[in-house]
Amino acid sequence: MSQYKINTNCVQAGYTPGNGEPRVTPIVQSTTYRYTSGEEVGKLFDLEKDGFFYTRLGNPTSAVVEERIAALEGGVGALYTSSGQAASTLAVLNICGAGDHIIACNAIYGGTFNLFGVTFPKLGIDTTFVQTDISPEELETKFQENTKAVFIESLTNPALEIPDIEMYAAAAHAHGVPLIVDNTFATPINCRPFEFGADIVVHSTSKYMDGHAVALGGVIVDGGKFDWNNGKYPGLSTPDDSYHGIVYTETFGPAAYITKARVQLMRDLGVTPSPNNAFLLSIGLETLHLRVERHCENAKKVAEYLNGHDKIAWVNYPSMKENKYYNMAQKYMPNGTCGVISFGVKGGRQAAMDLMDHLKLAAIVVHVADSRTGVLHPASTTHRQLSDEQLVAAGIGPELIRFSVGIEDVEDIIADLSQALEQI
């Protein structure tokens, strides 16, 4: 499918039915697969032959979305996981162990921040968090002898900061480590991190890729260009005793990283998605290019409306020219960023909560980035335990509203905001 453009790959990549076979990707709701030769099954377990033998490691329906997303991102392979959190976890554990260190932006999704800052240290993996806008000189000082990866988000959730991907990639590569980019908010429709030097891309497919807000999922995509034979990654470049001494870089070449993630980590940790969720994701991916365009178009109009309203203190949307990250957005996402905006309501916490409560079309939801417009007041929900002073320190003022603009008619979305604003 690589000869097709990205919009076509959203619909076609990963599945080509044969004569008389289903036109739409079928759900293979099975844990197991029949073979007529024990020798053939043995070759599957020795990684000498491709095929499905147990759904924990792979499933025909899941394989479709893996191939499709790999095509969209321009990678050599992908691994579909049970959630975005699982994807981030496996992406790091595939190359890091006790005694290792990673560098990550501090504005990343809160769940990932906790994973890196709380859970990974319990496993012996330490993280140094840095500001998104860190200078190359200061970033250089954060690398340690045991640094094994750099992790950023192409568009941070929920702060909507945009890191200089090329700068982070150059710094990582100068130290012989890969750059991992979470591309969930931008999606490959608006940003292709591999083209700017990234080595591994992860997604929470539960967001824009799925679009329906019905199926959890995550994915790891391997760019296939990083040199894992540089002495820092023995797990990839030396024999794996659990597979009779196989060396991933020798046997699988550019796909060494993603193969190891599947046959070793997925095998042992079992963060496996259901075939039914894979099917739902495949349906969502078919319209990704259409929905992302509408999300961005609507969000920009909503941001412009709010920016001129006398009850709004500020608006944060990177596609607006006055935004701090506008130039970065033009460099990495010239066709649009995402459908999520944030804004501050004059009057602080109570005014923000009142606004949220008066919205009718926009639903109060913790989820973000699906087809329906959703709203959340972080200070009274996800960050409820923090004082106003602590909220400001975390970059989440008590007046902040996170607004996930859907694909409804934008005039209805703006009218909903207008009637709510009139009541506060």
Side-chain angles (χ1 to χ4, degrees):
M1 290 293 178
S2 59
Q3 73 270 25
Y4 294 127
K5 297 186 183 300
I6 193 167
N7 293 353
T8 302
N9 279 333
C10 281
V11 182
Q12 297 278 358
Y15 180 64
T16 303
N19 189 45
E21 293 182 345
R23 181 68 180 92
V24 177
T25 302
I27 305 173
V28 181
Q29 193 65 50
S30 180
T31 62
T32 189
Y33 308 86
R34 178 180 182 268
Y35 288 90
T36 57
S37 164
E39 182 179 356
E40 188 175 8
V41 177
K43 290 181 178 180
L44 291 172
F45 274 89
D46 284 343
L47 308 183
E48 295 177 2
K49 181 180 175 63
D50 288 332
F52 303 102
F53 54 93
Y54 195 56
T55 286
R56 187 170 79 242
L57 272 74
N59 170 276
T61 312
S62 297
V64 170
V65 298
E66 289 172 344
E67 291 183 33
R68 187 171 300 171
I69 294 172
L72 296 179
E73 286 287 7
V76 298
L79 176 64
Y80 181 44
T81 65
S82 57
S83 68
Q85 194 78 325
S88 295
T89 301
L90 264 60
V92 173
L93 293 182
N94 200 35
I95 51 175
C96 294
D100 289 336
H101 169 259
I102 60 177
I103 296 170
C105 282
N106 64 359
I108 55 178
Y109 165 61
T112 311
F113 188 93
N114 289 336
L115 171 67
F116 290 0
V118 178
T119 300
F120 277 171
K122 296 176 182 177
L123 303 178
I125 302 170
D126 292 326
T127 302
T128 296
F129 292 103
V130 301
Q131 296 287 335
T132 301
D133 298 334
I134 191 172
S135 69
E137 294 76 19
E138 187 177 359
L139 180 59
E140 176 70 22
T141 68
K142 306 303 180 183
F143 285 88
Q144 302 176 10
E145 188 75 20
N146 58 341
T147 301
K148 293 295 180 68
V150 177
F151 187 101
I152 63 175
E153 292 176 354
S154 57
L155 183 59
T156 66
N157 173 16
L160 302 179
E161 298 177 354
I162 302 177
D164 188 342
I165 299 174
E166 288 184 328
M167 184 275 286
Y168 277 94
H173 295 163
H175 288 269
V177 305
L179 175 64
I180 304 173
V181 178
D182 185 330
N183 199 31
T184 296
F185 265 18
T187 81
I189 303 302
N190 283 343
C191 183
R192 307 245 298 174
F194 291 142
E195 296 177 1
F196 300 104
D199 303 291
I200 306 297
V201 168
V202 298
H203 287 269
S204 168
T205 62
S206 319
K207 310 302 188 294
Y208 289 119
M209 283 189 167
D210 171 78
H212 317 97
V214 296
L216 286 176
V219 71
I220 309 169
V221 188
D222 184 355
K225 295 182 179 179
F226 189 81
D227 179 15
W228 302 108
N229 284 309
N230 64 5
K232 289 179 175 287
Y233 304 97
L236 284 155
S237 60
T238 61
D240 180 355
D241 292 338
S242 67
Y243 281 107
H244 306 295
I246 196 170
V247 178
Y248 294 102
T249 53
E250 292 179 1
T251 304
F252 301 103
Y257 172 92
I258 203 67
T259 301
K260 177 178 178 291
R262 180 186 304 278
V263 303
Q264 189 184 86
L265 289 183
M266 186 64 84
R267 174 198 66 189
D268 294 346
L269 300 181
V271 286
T272 309
S274 74
N276 188 64
N277 278 10
F279 169 77
L280 293 170
L281 175 57
S282 74
I283 297 299
L285 288 168
E286 291 179 0
T287 59
L288 179 65
H289 58 298
L290 301 174
R291 290 183 287 104
V292 165
E293 182 178 354
R294 176 57 66 86
H295 279 293
C296 294
E297 177 185 314
N298 282 359
K300 189 172 183 181
K301 290 178 180 178
V302 170
E304 290 170 347
Y305 164 76
L306 290 169
N307 198 44
H309 201 285
D310 60 5
K311 291 186 180 180
I312 300 300
W314 53 266
V315 177
N316 179 22
Y317 188 60
S319 293
M320 295 176 64
K321 288 186 177 180
E322 54 267 49
N323 188 273
K324 176 182 178 180
Y325 292 98
Y326 178 76
N327 289 335
M328 282 294 177
Q330 293 305 297
K331 177 179 180 179
Y332 294 115
M333 308 164 203
N335 296 322
T337 50
C338 69
V340 180
I341 68 176
S342 61
F343 59 90
V345 183
K346 291 180 181 178
R349 180 191 293 260
Q350 191 57 52
M353 291 181 67
D354 288 346
L355 172 65
M356 185 172 68
D357 290 345
H358 283 113
L359 290 166
K360 298 177 180 178
L361 183 150
I364 301 172
V365 292
V366 176
H367 195 251
V368 67
D370 62 68
S371 294
R372 300 162 186 83
T373 297
V375 63
L376 194 69
H377 180 234
S380 64
T381 55
T382 55
H383 296 72
R384 188 180 184 89
Q385 289 73 27
L386 302 185
S387 67
D388 284 355
E389 292 75 19
Q390 290 173 319
L391 287 168
V392 171
I396 302 172
E399 80 284 7
L400 183 147
I401 289 285
R402 185 185 74 184
F403 202 72
S404 182
V405 183
I407 59 174
E408 303 95 344
D409 192 299
V410 71
E411 292 186 9
D412 290 331
I413 299 172
I414 291 174
D416 188 35
L417 281 164
S418 178
Q419 64 83 23
L421 284 164
E422 287 176 3
Q423 300 182 65
I424 65 170

